[in-house]
Amino acid sequence: MLNLNNVPAQENTPLELMPDGAVARGIVKLSGGDIDLPEFGAGQFFKQSQSTSAKWLPIEVTIVGGQFDKRKVWHNIFVDGDKLSERGVPMAKEIGLRTLKAMIDSAFNLSAKDESPQAQAARNLNGVGDLNGLSICFVIGIEKGTNGYEDKNKIKAVLTADAKGFIAAGAAPVQAPVAQAPAYAPPVQQPVQQAAATQQQGGVTPSWAQ
């Protein structure tokens, strides 16, 4: 018999938040969901709100190298919502697609303006499953906690090869504050409260995804 009654309780000391504006490179892992969206490829990678049209792709990014090596950031990329753009398309989808494109550009050291055949081929995906295992460069941000949750790190922006502070794939990993706003800072990557798993992360739903 193994008696654990007299074992002291473990100390849960929260990690200090990574600084806002630091740049890192990390490996993308699709966290998985419970629905599939055929236009984004095969696989149940997405989650959905129970009260709105919001749907999102949850991801986990593990930093590689540098001061924050092996630290993780969790984020959600919204691809649907109730609010429509002037083109009649969900604003969440437009922003989400731009985020996905930026992730591919970042992974393959591409400028956002690169329209070469090689760049176009890289952006032609079988589906979001192709993102799994890719290395992206991103700016770390801090999301204020709500409803009793503590502040947490988030992906503030995905950097492409034409952005200042970009860390190229294969380059020595370095984290440092960026001196200026990145070329593309999508507001898409914020957690949704409706899903139980997302509630644990203490995020909020962007107004355009409600």
Side-chain angles (χ1 to χ4, degrees), residues 166-182:
F166 177 75
I167 302 172
V174 177
Q175 285 89 36
V178 288
Q180 63 181 33

Side-chain angles (χ1 to χ4, degrees), residues 3-64:
N3 187 347
L4 301 177
N5 287 294
N6 295 322
V7 177
Q10 66 178 4
E11 296 182 5
N12 294 317
T13 304
L15 288 172
E16 182 178 348
L17 288 175
M18 293 176 283
D20 181 70
V23 177
R25 195 161 188 104
I27 305 298
V28 175
K29 176 184 176 183
L30 302 186
S31 301
D34 45 31
I35 63 169
D36 62 339
L37 299 177
E39 65 179 305
F40 290 93
Q44 293 189 332
F45 295 115
F46 294 87
K47 291 183 176 292
Q48 64 181 342
S49 167
Q50 299 303 309
S51 58
T52 73
S53 298
K55 299 179 183 69
W56 63 95
L57 176 71
I59 66 171
E60 171 188 299
V61 181
T62 303
I63 294 174
V64 177

Side-chain angles (χ1 to χ4, degrees), residues 1 18 70 92 96-97 114 121 133-134 153 185-186:
M1 178 178 292
M18 293 176 283
K70 296 183 175 59
L97 288 172
D114 189 344
L134 291 184
N153 285 122

Side-chain angles (χ1 to χ4, degrees), residues 137-171:
C137 180
F138 63 99
V139 181
I140 298 168
I142 296 176
E143 180 177 299
K144 301 300 291 184
T146 58
N147 299 323
Y149 291 104
E150 297 181 349
D151 296 353
K152 71 185 198 71
N153 285 122
K154 66 175 183 178
I155 296 177
K156 190 174 186 178
V158 178
L159 295 184
T160 55
D162 50 342
K164 185 173 182 179
F166 177 75
I167 302 172

